[in-house]
Amino acid sequence: MKVIAGNFKSNLTRKASIDYLNALNSKLDSVFDSRICNDKDIYIFPSNTSLVQNNYKYITLGAQNCNDSKSGAFTGETSLLHLEEFDIKTILIGHSERRNLFFENDDICARKFDYFKSKNFKIFYCIGESLEVRTSKKYLDFLESQLKVIDVDYKNLIIAYEPIWAIGTGLNATLEQISECVSHLRDMSNAPIVYGGSVNENNSSDILKISDGVLVGSASLDINKFYQIIKE
Ligand code: PGA
């Protein structure tokens, strides 16, 4: 089973997201019918204002972020109540943009992890080193430290290894670099390990050979590219 996930980040309106989801679902209908990709788990993470009922036949919808609360006085936040409305049971936690731009440190990520674990969510827990950490050669220790704060035996965990220097830069890690980190993470957890960072329709098939899946940002915004990655 391979995990193929698209993270729309703060892109695509609600209408554009719904049009995309409908179009992708119908494209997948023919692919699944011909049994080319009945071994794929396909996820889309639209912006929270574009979430709709999670009842697509081939696509599972997830939230890019959510507050660790059922509801309450949290101005500007989305809470569990809002995800439940659409039957959303999948979440990204610890994306490097949340960590770096919105100051979500390991403690906050761990708190969110514990909360959504208690709700039995499928959790894509993102980790990854900066260029500085990579250059210091301490990146394996760093990845370990990021995972230390969560229950790596959680049955609904997917670990997303996303080196920050490869996200949105067009600079994807080499297959050797990905392999080294994936095998190190496999020693730490039995969870599927997906790779993210400038994955596109040209490099995805090689990356899928050495990982359990891909988390795709920019290339997922183009339905043809994302569909190509699924077919690969
Ligand atoms: P990218 O983003 O594919 O645009 O590098 C990946 C991610 O942030 O998950």
Side-chain angles (χ1 to χ4, degrees):
M1 179 67 78
K2 295 285 181 190
V3 173
I4 315 286
N7 173 10
F8 287 176
K9 308 190 179 184
S10 284
N11 295 296
L12 302 192
T13 60
R14 180 175 177 81
K15 181 179 181 317
S17 301
I18 294 170
D19 289 348
Y20 181 115
L21 289 166
N22 290 337
L24 181 63
N25 204 61
S26 358
K27 270 170 176 288
L28 292 174
D29 229 346
S30 60
V31 179
F32 275 82
D33 280 353
S34 59
R35 303 176 66 86
I36 294 171
C37 72
N38 52 3
D39 58 344
K40 305 268 196 316
D41 253 357
I42 298 162
Y43 296 86
I44 291 284
F45 296 87
S47 70
N48 281 358
T49 62
S50 305
L51 288 173
V52 289
Q53 206 57 40
N54 183 24
N55 60 5
Y56 286 90
K57 190 164 173 198
Y58 300 113
I59 305 163
T60 301
L61 295 181
Q64 295 174 17
N65 176 41
C66 187
N67 194 33
D68 52 324
S69 65
K70 173 82 176 182
S71 63
F74 304 106
T75 302
E77 287 292 289
T78 301
S79 288
L80 178 65
L81 186 71
H82 306 108
L83 303 188
E84 283 176 344
E85 179 181 9
F86 299 117
D87 207 22
I88 304 292
K89 293 191 164 313
T90 304
I91 187 165
L92 279 185
I93 296 178
H95 190 281
S96 61
E97 285 149 17
R98 298 293 323 163
R99 291 176 188 265
N100 295 336
L101 304 175
F102 302 101
F103 312 109
E104 292 192 7
N105 58 21
D106 281 336
D107 290 347
I108 295 175
C109 295
R111 211 176 64 210
K112 288 189 174 188
F113 177 90
D114 288 341
Y115 182 76
F116 286 98
K117 178 188 163 193
S118 77
K119 304 296 172 196
N120 218 17
F121 266 56
K122 174 147 284 184
I123 299 174
F124 281 66
Y125 197 79
C126 305
I127 57 171
E129 79 285 0
S130 63
L131 193 53
E132 197 186 344
V133 173
R134 162 95 9 205
T135 321
S136 77
K137 308 259 185 267
K138 297 252 167 64
Y139 50 93
L140 295 178
D141 292 343
F142 179 79
L143 297 177
E144 267 184 45
S145 74
Q146 285 192 308
L147 276 190
K148 228 180 244 158
V149 298
I150 62 158
D151 171 10
V152 291
D153 296 322
Y154 174 48
K155 65 176 191 322
N156 286 327
L157 169 66
I158 292 178
I159 297 171
Y161 168 56
E162 301 201 296
I164 298 170
W165 47 274
I167 295 181
T169 56
L171 270 182
N172 67 302
T174 64
L175 294 176
E176 291 71 29
Q177 288 170 323
I178 300 172
S179 259
E180 182 191 26
C181 292
V182 168
S183 40
H184 191 74
L185 296 170
R186 285 205 172 116
D187 288 343
M188 290 187 68
S189 170
N190 290 324
I193 317 282
V194 306
Y195 169 80
S198 300
V199 175
N200 59 39
E201 69 287 10
N202 300 316
N203 58 28
S204 56
S205 61
D206 284 338
I207 295 171
L208 284 165
K209 283 181 198 137
I210 53 168
S211 67
D212 301 311
V214 285
L215 177 53
V216 189
S218 326
S220 72
L221 297 175
D222 179 328
I223 191 168
N224 294 319
K225 291 184 180 172
F226 192 61
Y227 178 67
Q228 196 56 41
I229 292 171
I230 296 168
K231 277 183 32 179
E232 291 295 327

